[in-house]
Amino acid sequence: MAAPLVSDAFRSLFAPLLPSRPPRPKGGRPPVEDRAALTGILFVLKSGIPWEMLPQEMGCGSGMTCWRRLRDWQEAGVWQAFHHLLLDRLGRDRLGRAGLIDWSRCSLDSASLPAKAGGAATGPNPTDRGKPGSKRHLVVDRQGIPLAVLLTAANVHDSTVLEEALDAVPPVRQPRGRPRRRPRKLHADKAYDYSRCRRACRRRGIVPRIARRGIESSERLGRHRWVVERTLSWIARCRRLIVRYERRDDVHLAFLVLACAAICFRFLQRFC
């Protein structure tokens, strides 16, 4: 028998973050349970099927019901809070011991994807003959744990997002002392080879390790940057994220943050 999409451990971490529902008038159809709605959302994320084709046999209600929960939980900040909670668990276990997040080296990279429906945070993709597209920017630690993710138009240059990506890393609790959000070093490819990017890193106490155009090969730095490429490939395993079908950028970002949270949960289950 296949394992459920929403395990008891996953639900126990996610459920306390949900906002309380307003009281409903008497009568009518009872609302779909949150766990069933979350199962439907994860099924659409992983399989990539349209909402209207969500199997009724799963007991998740209609596809529109799951879409509304995805939207409402995004507006309430649930997905970001869930990702942050998992990072806190990875930063320090229940006994206060050192966790899994390795702040010695972090990596930053981006990946473009088609946006067939258009909408906000889309633009002509220079790598796809100018067709509409979006771009995801990802910061990971030394092991590939996703620390922050951003969504922009495909024609936004990577270097202009570096500061925002670094500032998007939330404060993660540590075994001792204050929460931490800055890595010791940041590895990036030649797309970030600008003086303003290096200055932005140094202002935050981060040593920039950025490949220089026309001076050095990026192959040597690739031995540290490959982890972000691997995490981007993990995200691409979620078929709903191969192509952006949602016109609303907040709905697509909700899927993206949920995929990062699922990766963090796998690290938590595997090593803790």
Side-chain angles (χ1 to χ4, degrees):
M1 183 176 180
L5 285 176
V6 181
S7 64
D8 292 338
F10 193 95
R11 178 182 177 276
S12 65
L13 294 172
F14 182 77
L17 303 174
L18 296 177
S20 58
R21 296 180 186 171
R24 295 173 58 89
K26 294 183 179 180
R29 182 180 301 175
V32 176
E33 293 293 331
D34 291 330
R35 183 171 186 171
L38 180 59
T39 299
I41 292 170
L42 281 170
F43 186 80
V44 171
L45 172 64
K46 292 179 179 295
S47 65
I49 65 170
W51 289 105
E52 59 270 17
M53 294 182 64
L54 190 65
Q56 295 295 319
E57 296 80 3
M58 297 180 63
C60 303
S62 66
M64 184 54 63
T65 297
C66 295
W67 181 88
R68 290 194 188 101
R69 296 287 177 89
L70 177 72
R71 176 203 61 190
D72 294 344
W73 290 343
Q74 171 68 9
E75 293 176 354
V78 173
W79 305 116
Q80 288 287 356
F82 185 47
H83 184 208
H84 190 185
L85 173 65
L86 291 170
L87 290 177
D88 275 341
R89 291 295 182 94
L90 290 169
R92 185 181 70 182
D93 62 16
R94 294 181 179 180
L95 299 178
R97 297 173 298 194
L100 294 175
I101 298 179
D102 189 341
W103 296 96
S104 62
R105 299 179 188 273
C106 286
S107 299
L108 170 63
D109 206 350
S110 66
S112 299
L113 69 157
K116 297 183 178 299
T122 61
N125 189 348
T127 65
D128 192 19
R129 295 176 293 176
K131 295 180 180 179
S134 295
K135 184 184 290 187
R136 58 179 69 112
H137 306 262
L138 184 67
V139 182
V140 302
D141 81 329
R142 189 170 188 167
Q143 302 178 93
I145 296 174
L147 301 177
V149 64
L150 298 176
L151 182 69
T152 66
N155 58 337
V156 174
H157 198 274
D158 292 353
S159 63
T160 63
V161 190
L162 181 138
E163 292 190 64
E164 185 180 358
L166 291 178
D167 293 339
V169 177
V172 180
R173 66 179 187 175
Q174 302 296 297
R176 291 180 298 274
R178 295 183 300 175
R180 182 170 181 174
R181 61 186 307 180
R182 304 297 188 205
R184 187 176 307 162
K185 296 180 181 180
L186 178 71
H187 292 266
D189 59 22
K190 296 178 182 180
Y192 304 89
D193 183 23
Y194 293 91
S195 298
R196 65 176 184 274
C197 293
R198 291 185 169 86
R199 288 195 302 267
C201 290
R202 294 190 180 100
R203 284 198 303 268
R204 292 162 175 80
I206 303 171
V207 178
R209 293 292 291 119
I210 300 173
R212 294 172 294 178
R213 297 188 301 271
I215 297 178
E216 58 184 336
S217 172
S218 59
E219 295 179 357
R220 184 169 177 269
L221 288 175
R223 62 178 179 174
H224 299 300
R225 283 203 319 271
W226 67 270
V227 291
V228 67
E229 299 288 350
R230 183 185 63 177
T231 305
L232 285 169
S233 70
W234 287 342
I235 292 175
R237 289 181 184 176
C238 299
R239 299 184 64 85
R240 190 73 182 193
L241 296 176
I242 297 177
V243 176
R244 177 181 163 183
Y245 296 100
E246 292 77 22
R247 285 188 57 84
R248 293 183 53 162
D249 58 333
D250 59 335
V251 174
H252 183 78
L253 183 61
F255 271 135
L256 191 55
V257 175
L258 177 56
C260 292
I263 294 172
C264 292
F265 182 75
R266 288 203 299 270
F267 271 95
L268 190 64
Q269 291 294 102
R270 182 177 178 183
F271 296 106
C272 296

